[in-house]
Amino acid sequence: MVRAVSDARILARALADPGSVAEFDADGWTALLTMARAEQLIGTLAMRLDGLQMPDGVKAILADARAAAEHGRRAALWEAEMARRALSAVDCPVILLKGTAFVAAGLSAGQGRSIGDLDILVPRASLDAVEAALLAAGWEWVKPDPYDDVYYRRWMHELPPLIHRDRDRMIDVHHTILPLTARITPDAAALIDGSMALENGLRTLSHNGMLVHAAAHLFADGDLAGGLRNLWDIRCLVDEFGTDGQDAEAQRHGLSREVARSLRLVDALFAEGTARGADRLYIRRITARDGWGRPTRPITRLAFYVRSHWLRMPPAMLARHLWTKWRKG
């Protein structure tokens, strides 16, 4: 029998210690599976629990999740190949990011991972050529609103999102890893220079660069939605490659605090560490799920949502942006 579920720490425990599910009753399995779906970790969980004893119904659900993750992996790699072909005539490095990078490089972080849009990083000087090549190859704008278009191009770390007219798959073209309005300015050129080539000519960030990017995305940009998945990515990267050179890489990009926090939270959630001070608030937000996978702790969620906007831009710009978006409905 598993004790009463209070939050998503049972999911973190199951990922780190698959044998812990042996004590689960029906309510425990329900909580675990619904949380994993909500956190987009069901495929990862299915891979981690493969081969263990479990109820037949759970076994079928996880088998389906593994099949879906494999389909997602193939689709992500195919979409990366389509982008490679579209950009083959553009003289610039094309660097895969996030989940597609993990599976393309065969990393443990990619095992069962949910993958959404294709994210790539290119030099800012090459944006016009990359944009033109993608449009010529069938991608189209998702955001036709002129304000959104100007906002992305002037202030964001990426072009407005594009979707392919036939395959219905989105691509996000980054030129750095944080918005230009953010309080932290990573060295995008250093990330690109340190990237590693794949056999097909595409590239990925260095292993330390991947960890820096994951920490930046989690703590210096967003509201921690999907934070458990990002922390699992970091845990896998650390387990596979260690942390040699990580301090210097984080310092180079002004992200020492964010990387250090990510490592502490990984230790607290997936190992034997104990969260202290402000780290406890981050864990409270990241694990805010009930036994049906529903979001909980609305005040904490709201606080981190407000924080995410505060980090993205100065107060006057934020007020103007929110006012404009509100007027547009």
Side-chain angles (χ1 to χ4, degrees), residues 34-306:
T34 55
M35 288 180 186
R37 287 194 188 281
E39 293 293 328
Q40 298 186 62
L41 279 163
I42 188 70
T44 303
L45 180 70
M47 297 295 290
R48 295 288 290 170
L49 302 188
D50 192 20
L52 297 183
Q53 292 294 319
M54 63 189 69
D56 289 342
V58 174
K59 188 177 297 185
I61 290 171
L62 294 183
D64 286 345
R66 283 191 294 274
E70 174 57 21
H71 179 270
R73 185 189 71 85
R74 291 197 301 267
L77 293 177
W78 179 245
E79 201 61 24
E81 172 61 16
M82 293 298 96
R84 186 197 67 79
R85 295 181 188 182
L87 299 176
S88 60
V90 180
D91 185 20
C92 77
V94 178
I95 299 159
L96 302 176
L97 300 174
K98 303 180 183 177
T100 304
F102 299 153
V103 298
L107 305 186
S108 62
Q111 294 178 6
R113 195 185 190 280
S114 171
I115 303 172
D117 304 340
L118 172 62
D119 292 270
I120 63 173
L121 174 69
V122 300
R124 192 173 187 184
S126 301
L127 279 179
D128 288 347
V130 168
E131 177 182 1
L134 291 173
L135 291 173
W139 277 270
E140 300 173 336
W141 297 119
V142 174
K143 294 181 178 289
D145 184 274
Y147 173 80
D148 288 337
D149 187 77
V150 171
Y151 175 79
Y152 266 87
R153 294 177 186 278
R154 186 174 183 183
W155 301 118
M156 290 299 287
H157 52 308
E158 58 189 340
L159 290 175
L162 294 153
I163 191 166
H164 198 274
R165 61 173 175 252
D166 297 324
R167 297 190 303 277
D168 199 34
R169 299 279 294 193
M170 290 181 62
I171 185 171
D172 292 324
V173 181
H174 300 248
H175 56 85
T176 185
I177 60 172
L178 286 177
L180 302 181
T181 54
R183 290 164 171 76
I184 298 171
T185 305
D187 187 342
L191 287 170
I192 293 170
D193 289 344
S195 64
M196 304 180 298
L198 299 171
E199 290 183 1
N200 62 359
L202 294 171
R203 306 181 71 85
T204 69
L205 296 176
S206 69
H207 302 136
N208 283 336
M210 289 179 179
L211 197 155
V212 164
H213 182 209
H217 179 68
L218 186 55
F219 296 119
D221 184 23
D223 62 357
L224 273 70
L228 199 57
R229 183 179 66 167
N230 286 330
L231 285 177
W232 181 254
D233 290 342
I234 292 169
R235 190 261 195 187
C236 291
L237 290 170
V238 171
D239 280 1
E240 193 164 1
F241 302 109
T243 57
D244 287 349
Q246 188 60 68
D247 289 345
E249 183 74 6
Q251 187 174 8
R252 180 178 298 114
H253 301 290
L255 288 159
S256 295
R257 182 176 60 179
E258 288 72 19
V259 168
R261 171 159 281 142
S262 74
L263 296 177
R264 292 196 305 270
L265 295 191
V266 163
D267 190 44
L269 281 171
F270 302 119
E272 301 298 325
T274 300
R276 295 181 173 84
D279 287 352
R280 290 179 294 181
L281 293 175
Y282 286 84
I283 286 184
R284 178 175 172 81
R285 167 63 185 90
I286 288 168
T287 61
R289 296 280 177 188
D290 68 9
W292 293 98
R294 297 171 299 195
T296 59
R297 302 167 185 161
I299 294 176
T300 301
R301 286 174 174 269
L302 177 61
F304 276 95
Y305 176 76
V306 172

